[in-house]
Amino acid sequence: MVIKVFLASSSGSTAIKKKQQDVVGFLEALKVDYTQLDIACNEDNRMWMRQNVPEDRKPTNGIPLPPQIFNEESYCGDYDTFFDAKEDNSVYSFLGLPPPPGSKEAEKADKADIVENGTHAEETNTVGNLDDLIEVPVEERNGNTHREEEKLQQVADEEEEAQDGEEEEITEEETADKEETAEDETPMEEEEAVEEADEVTEYIQAHAEEEEGQEEEDLQSEEEEEAEVQEDEEEDLEETQEEEAE
């Protein structure tokens, strides 16, 4: 499955550029394979995107704006739905991809499975315990014939116990091997999950700092424009006063 991100490389809107960078940067941080399709330089890409965005997901004017995200031919959503999925730690579900082991989304799925399986286990145990409630009557045996049968039964029981002991030993050895294998795999998965979380955190922090810097630049530009307008007004006022004085 290939994730397709429809972008506009030459968009004049700063907001659209930021949204496109946010989507692409986050996918790269998650190491998700994706393809960028430019609608500014390729009319086929533009028409395909507009035709395949569902009608109920299009804006009022009927023209969807980039970024738009697809999984092959299936529509995933626009920037707003992508952002909501990112905040809810459900990006992989949004993209239609299985979450990797160790991710927050995978942990949520595991917890849901545990709750579901636990409920089924309780029901199974309840049904299974009915057999334990049935009492099997024991007949009294008298005479030499009964004693011989009891001895034979005792020998058979001892053989079964010996066989069960051997099977338990084999089972314990297999369980120990599985536990050792699981212990070896778990640290690797945890390290990968930690690295992935660190990369995502670094990207989010960098993006937040970039937005703060842009806001400061915009505020400074507005203040400079206001100062220039005020200076122009003062100069016009001085010229008017000089003309009136003459």
Side-chain angles (χ1 to χ4, degrees):
M1 294 182 289
V2 177
I3 302 301
K4 300 177 181 178
V5 182
F6 287 83
L7 308 174
S9 59
S10 58
S11 174
S13 171
T14 303
I16 290 178
K17 288 181 179 179
K18 286 183 178 179
K19 290 178 180 180
Q20 293 177 163
Q21 292 172 356
D22 190 15
V23 171
V24 171
F26 197 78
L27 292 179
E28 290 179 351
L30 293 180
K31 298 179 180 179
V32 173
D33 292 333
Y34 69 95
T35 299
Q36 296 187 33
L37 300 173
D38 191 1
I39 66 172
C41 302
N42 190 312
E43 186 64 21
D44 291 338
N45 289 340
R46 181 195 298 271
M47 295 302 298
W48 193 94
M49 182 194 78
R50 292 183 178 181
Q51 292 173 358
N52 287 274
V53 172
E55 291 295 331
D56 59 341
R57 305 293 292 275
K58 291 181 179 179
T60 306
N61 61 6
I63 302 176
L65 298 176
Q68 298 290 336
I69 307 166
F70 290 79
N71 183 335
E72 294 288 356
E73 310 298 322
S74 301
Y75 181 68
C76 297
D78 56 7
Y79 174 77
D80 292 335
T81 51
F82 173 83
F83 181 81
D84 292 340
K86 183 175 68 172
E87 292 295 313
D88 194 36
N89 291 322
S90 59
V91 174
Y92 288 99
S93 177
F94 167 82
L95 296 174
L97 299 174
S103 63
K104 293 182 179 180
E105 195 167 343
E107 291 177 359
K108 288 172 63 177
D110 291 341
K111 289 180 181 178
D113 290 339
I114 290 172
V115 172
E116 182 178 358
N117 294 335
T119 303
H120 291 319
E122 291 176 359
E123 294 174 354
T124 303
N125 290 338
T126 302
V127 175
N129 289 336
L130 294 176
D131 295 334
D132 297 335
L133 299 177
I134 301 174
E135 295 182 359
V136 179
V138 180
E139 298 179 355
E140 296 181 358
R141 298 176 180 179
N142 299 318
N144 296 331
T145 303
H146 290 268
R147 290 175 184 173
E148 290 177 358
E149 290 177 355
E150 289 177 358
K151 289 180 180 180
L152 293 174
Q153 184 65 36
Q154 184 178 358
V155 172
D157 291 341
E158 291 176 355
E159 291 178 354
E160 287 181 2
E161 289 178 359
Q163 185 176 359
D164 291 340
E166 292 177 358
E167 291 178 354
E168 288 179 0
E169 291 179 358
I170 294 172
T171 304
E172 290 177 357
E173 291 177 357
E174 292 177 351
T175 303
D177 293 338
K178 291 180 180 178
E179 291 177 352
E180 290 178 359
T181 304
E183 289 176 357
D184 293 338
E185 293 176 354
T186 300
M188 294 178 64
E189 294 178 355
E190 292 178 352
E191 290 177 2
E192 292 177 357
V194 172
E195 291 177 359
E196 178 183 338
D198 292 341
E199 290 178 359
V200 174
T201 302
E202 290 175 0
Y203 167 76
I204 293 173
Q205 291 177 348
H207 184 64
E209 292 175 358
E210 180 182 346
E211 288 185 349
E212 290 178 359
Q214 184 65 37
E215 291 177 357
E216 291 178 358
E217 290 179 2
D218 294 342
L219 180 61
Q220 185 176 358
S221 298
E222 291 178 1
E223 292 176 352
E224 291 177 354
E225 290 178 359
E226 291 178 358
E228 290 178 0
V229 171
Q230 185 174 0
E231 289 178 1
D232 293 339
E233 291 177 353
E234 291 177 356
E235 289 178 359
D236 292 341
L237 181 60
E238 290 178 359
E239 290 178 357
T240 302
Q241 291 177 351
E242 288 177 359
E243 291 176 359
E244 290 177 353
E246 290 177 358

